[in-house]
Amino acid sequence: MGKIAFITDSASGFGMDEHPDVFVVPMGVIVNDKEYVDYIDIQTNQFYELLKDYGDGAKTFQPSPQSFHDTYQKAIDSGYTHIIAIHATKELTGTYQSSEMTSREFDIESTVINSQVGDYPLRRMVEEGVKASEAGESYETIVDKIKKLAEDGSLIVYPKNLNQLKNSGRVSRSQGIIAGLLNIQLIIEFEGGNLYPVEKIRSKKKALSFIHEKIKKEVAEDNPSKIGVSYAGEEEEADLMVSWLKEEYPDKTIDKQPLVHVAGVHTGYGTIAIGWVKA
């Protein structure tokens, strides 16, 4: 079997040099009218400090075609013979399409996969691919495994800034109702690559209770080995969720990480998200 490189984008939460087999194409954010490329111009702590003060009106931008070209070339120059690219949902970003176009420029066997999600579940897909590669599984087997994970990824999001979410247009089927929900706790979830509202609740206490019950129902169905809690700047709510998960699921690994920058821009400072894949 050849040597497999994994290409992803920074919506996975992978650092630029976190694993030798993982190559990251950085996305970008615009905060307070200034552009920053993820992990190059700005680190996570700096980003959330800025977002706290200048979150309204913050935007994201896609990696340049040259960035994709350079990343593929770097993997090839590093001696890899196969590439598996796993990107944030193509319904909400252009990284999948850009990566697919770039893959055709090179004479190397490659597969580009739409994760249909982002953040922790996307990270887990990459991790499972790396794990399978290190175990000596075939390229074809790993591709099939990741595609199956992409069909089953779960991410429940409790956004903080509904006005920013409305402005970003990132919640399908809700543009007409979000304006009337700005005083309501909204729970959203990925389905088929898009974000949809799953519940509208009038108090934070009831919102958290709903999330707990939803997690219990879906985890019972999916039985993931790991569950991730992501937070946008504020760790207190994440810590409470982590404590509850550890008590509820002592046999599972509970990870905590900062919410990826692109998601933080669209959902606001203070957002938390809970995600997993069936692995």
Side-chain angles (χ1 to χ4, degrees):
M1 186 187 74
K3 189 179 179 185
I4 302 174
F6 294 86
I7 292 178
T8 188
D9 52 66
S10 54
S12 67
F14 259 94
M16 299 298 288
D17 300 305
E18 189 171 336
H19 191 284
D21 294 339
V22 179
F23 297 80
V24 180
V25 182
M27 302 174 77
V29 296
I30 303 172
V31 186
N32 196 26
D33 297 323
K34 185 173 180 179
E35 292 188 358
Y36 301 91
V37 177
D38 287 350
Y39 309 131
I40 295 175
D41 300 327
I42 194 167
Q43 300 302 314
T44 297
N45 288 343
Q46 298 169 298
F47 167 71
Y48 278 113
E49 286 175 8
L50 284 173
L51 193 70
K52 184 177 182 180
D53 294 328
Y54 305 104
D56 287 343
K59 300 176 183 178
T60 61
F61 61 90
Q62 297 297 312
S64 68
Q66 188 64 48
S67 182
F68 275 98
H69 182 93
D70 292 348
T71 303
Y72 272 78
Q73 188 66 63
K74 182 179 179 181
I76 293 169
D77 291 344
S78 299
Y80 291 90
T81 58
H82 297 71
I83 290 174
I84 300 175
I86 317 162
H87 292 289
T89 173
K90 69 178 183 180
E91 283 73 23
L92 298 179
T93 77
T95 55
Y96 168 85
Q97 291 90 338
S98 295
S99 189
E100 192 174 49
M101 290 177 61
T102 303
S103 70
R104 301 187 195 123
E105 300 174 12
F106 296 93
D107 185 21
I108 184 172
E109 188 166 2
S110 61
T111 301
V112 183
I113 299 172
N114 172 24
S115 72
Q116 300 190 55
V117 68
D119 196 59
Y120 186 77
L122 172 54
R123 179 187 182 88
R124 290 285 294 120
M125 292 175 206
V126 179
E127 289 177 343
E128 287 299 308
V130 170
K131 178 182 175 182
S133 178
E134 291 175 341
E137 296 185 29
S138 70
Y139 173 78
E140 293 78 12
T141 298
I142 297 170
V143 167
D144 289 344
K145 179 176 290 187
I146 296 171
K147 285 183 176 179
K148 188 175 187 307
L149 291 177
E151 293 295 327
D152 298 321
S154 295
L155 187 65
I156 301 166
V157 184
Y158 185 18
K160 186 74 168 188
N161 189 333
L162 297 187
N163 190 53
Q164 181 65 5
L165 190 62
K166 167 181 172 285
N167 291 339
S168 75
R170 282 304 193 272
V171 178
S172 298
R173 296 200 305 231
S174 67
Q175 285 83 349
I177 62 171
I178 287 287
L181 299 177
L182 297 183
N183 294 318
I184 292 178
Q185 310 293 309
L186 181 68
I187 314 301
I188 59 180
E189 187 172 26
F190 276 87
E191 181 182 328
N194 264 311
L195 279 169
Y196 296 105
V198 293
E199 192 68 17
K200 305 178 287 290
I201 302 172
R202 290 197 173 273
S203 75
K204 180 178 177 181
K205 182 178 179 180
K206 289 182 179 179
L208 290 173
S209 177
F210 173 85
I211 291 172
H212 287 169
E213 292 305 312
K214 186 169 182 60
I215 290 171
K216 286 192 282 189
K217 178 178 181 295
E218 296 190 11
V219 166
E221 295 171 355
D222 295 346
N223 192 29
S225 61
K226 296 183 178 183
I227 302 172
V229 178
S230 302
Y231 62 96
E234 290 182 351
E235 289 193 60
E236 184 177 350
E237 292 290 348
D239 288 338
L240 291 173
M241 183 62 69
V242 167
S243 295
W244 177 80
L245 287 167
K246 286 183 175 179
E247 183 176 343
E248 192 74 23
Y249 304 107
D251 60 327
K252 300 186 185 298
T253 298
I254 309 300
D255 293 325
K256 185 180 76 170
Q257 65 175 35
L259 188 67
V260 297
H261 300 175
V262 62
V265 163
H266 295 302
T267 59
Y269 185 89
T271 292
I272 62 169
I274 305 93
W276 61 84
V277 295
K278 289 185 180 181

